[in-house]
Amino acid sequence: MHRFANPNFFLRLTARILPWCALATAAAFIAGLYLALGVSPPDYQQGESVRIMYVHVPSAWMALSVYSFVAAASAVALIWKHPLADLAAKAAAPIGAGFTLIALVTGALWGQPSWGTWWVWDARLTSMLVLFFLYLGYIALVNAFDDPIRGAKAGAVLALVGFVNIPIIKFSVDWWNTLHQPASITRIGAPAIHSSMLTPLILMALAFAGYFVCVLILRVRSEIAGRKIRALRIIQAQG
Amino acid sequence: MNRFTLIVARDLRLALRRGADSTMVVAFFVLTVVLFPLGVGPDTAILARIGPGVIWVTALLASMLSLERLFQADFEDGNLDLLVLGSLPLEAVVLAKSLAHWLTTGMLLIVAAPVLALLLNMSAEGFGALVLAMLLGTPSLTLIGAVGAALTVGARRGGALLSLLVLPLYVPVLIFGVGAVDAAISGMAMRPHFLILGALLAGTLVLAPLAGAAALRQAVQ
């Protein structure tokens, strides 16, 4: 793993990977969107609005996976002082916050036609909203210090604290929801999903994951460039 | 006296001599709760219904007020460096400072809460549960807040940042704290709420000093 800690090795490796990653992402997006918007059947109850699912569900998946990624990268950064893990965690967080926002907004857009309301204090929606605030707190903390390295370290501790808390928050929101809210919403998705819908969903999930990897690589590369410029400026100022 | 109690005693003495901090927290707590009837209207039934939630949410905000200074003051005058270098483990330092903070804010909130519950016309069955739930819940708030305070040491615009970090993590305490009072009022079982509040406290008592000490070590490097 320490071989990958060398930023120059990372830059060379990702320069090779990036075009292929972008190509695969584009292909998955084209195929996924074609199947999702054109080929897959409308829902017998919800009609065409079910197609929001092909954006909503993958982004919700990504919102959670990216937070796990941030926490894992933070743990690596704290335990092994891995110089790239810090950058990866910092670079991934805004992408994850974006996915969370997309999941929340598409959820509201989907809720309006199928439940008749933009927002309900459903357990899943509420814990998604809390996750969004956790992302915002992380991003704010990382950028709150004059020294970026100090920010990254504080952020790493916070990401791990948040990661321990996510299951507790999820559990308590579930509990709160069963106490407070009458069961007014019967969720769809109880019957097994048909393959004509599952295939585009998986393709879209792959496209989202590929998009995350591509943008992450780009962001880490620009972070490395930013650190190099900073180091050069400091040398210049001292010299 | 050992070093742990010395730190607690020092922080208590500082808080007593600078009394304004603690009184401000209680004043904020009382004033904010008093604003609710003015905003929602004087209907006693509505106030009784939202009372437990209002008191808990306001207690969360009030307990956060003085957190910003918890480590920042020591950081600015150099005490924090000595505490980090000292022979007492940093985890114990975080615990001692959290204990002193709780004694000077959390305890006062617990004393003020029943009076506010009266003002909000909360039903009498809930009073005991409110005090007990706050006894179990406010130490968790202080401990979680201490992690946030340790993380924001030396940060720009620490106060607003601290609330963004800490408030999402307060959600479980809020839910079960209000749940206990609501259960007491409606005559349902309170025990599970208290057990979970106790579990949250036991968990934060172990994990928060670890995370707080890790954050402080990054701060003084």
Side-chain angles (χ1 to χ4, degrees), chain B residues 38-60:
Chain B
L38 300 174
V40 181
D43 181 352
T44 48
I46 293 177
L47 289 179
R49 170 71 196 83
I50 63 170
V54 167
I55 291 178
W56 261 105
V57 170
T58 318
L60 298 192

Side-chain angles (χ1 to χ4, degrees), chain A residues 144-146 150 153-154 172, chain B residues 151 153 156 165 176 218 221:
Chain A
F145 296 93
D146 295 327
R150 160 97 176 91
K153 282 180 173 164
S172 47
Chain B
L151 284 170
V153 164
R156 287 175 259 131
L165 301 187
F176 291 105
Q218 319 283 2
Q221 254 172 18

Side-chain angles (χ1 to χ4, degrees), chain A residues 78 130 133-134 136-137 140-141 143-146 150 153-154 157-158 161-162 164-165 168-169 171-173 175-176 179-180, chain B residues 147 150-156 161 164-165 168-169 171-172 175-176 182 192-193 196 200 207 211 214-215 218-219 221:
Chain A
L78 279 181
V130 175
F133 289 129
L134 286 176
L136 287 190
L141 182 66
N143 295 314
F145 296 93
D146 295 327
R150 160 97 176 91
K153 282 180 173 164
V157 176
L158 180 70
V161 170
V164 171
N165 267 284
I168 302 172
I169 293 172
F171 160 76
S172 47
V173 170
W175 175 297
W176 164 75
L179 277 184
H180 282 248
Chain B
V147 179
L151 284 170
T152 52
V153 164
R156 287 175 259 131
L161 178 63
L164 188 57
L165 301 187
L169 305 178
V171 167
I175 287 174
F176 291 105
D182 276 345
H193 297 277
I196 293 174
L200 289 174
L207 294 177
Q218 319 283 2
Q221 254 172 18

Side-chain angles (χ1 to χ4, degrees), chain A residues 46 49 107-120 184-186:
Chain A
Q46 305 181 47
S49 73
L109 292 174
W110 195 8
Q112 172 58 20
S114 47
W115 300 338
T117 169
W118 297 103
W119 182 265
V120 285
S184 56
I185 296 150
T186 46

Side-chain angles (χ1 to χ4, degrees), chain B residues 55-132:
Chain B
I55 291 178
W56 261 105
V57 170
T58 318
L60 298 192
L61 299 176
S63 76
M64 227 174 43
L65 268 189
S66 54
L67 273 175
E68 195 194 343
R69 304 295 301 162
L70 186 59
F71 298 111
Q72 185 70 27
D74 284 340
F75 176 69
E76 281 163 6
D77 63 18
N79 269 318
L80 194 59
D81 293 317
L82 292 178
L83 289 173
V84 172
L85 290 174
S87 54
L88 187 66
L90 202 51
E91 286 79 7
V93 173
V94 174
L95 200 59
K97 290 191 73 76
S98 306
L99 178 64
H101 179 266
W102 180 73
L103 287 173
T104 50
T105 57
M107 281 293 272
L108 299 177
L109 296 182
I110 295 172
V111 173
V115 183
L116 294 172
L118 267 179
L119 284 177
L120 292 178
N121 199 39
M122 221 174 82
S123 98
E125 288 88 56
F127 279 50
L130 178 65
V131 172
L132 190 56

Side-chain angles (χ1 to χ4, degrees), chain A residues 165-219:
Chain A
N165 267 284
I166 282 178
I168 302 172
I169 293 172
K170 179 87 181 75
F171 160 76
S172 47
V173 170
D174 279 345
W175 175 297
W176 164 75
N177 189 52
T178 48
L179 277 184
H180 282 248
Q181 210 202 346
S184 56
I185 296 150
T186 46
R187 283 204 154 265
I188 50 140
I193 187 165
H194 189 259
S195 66
S196 64
M197 291 175 143
L198 189 62
T199 316
L201 186 61
I202 288 177
L203 275 173
M204 286 301 281
L206 286 176
F208 272 57
Y211 171 83
F212 168 68
V213 174
C214 291
V215 177
L216 179 70
I217 289 177
L218 277 176
R219 284 182 59 88

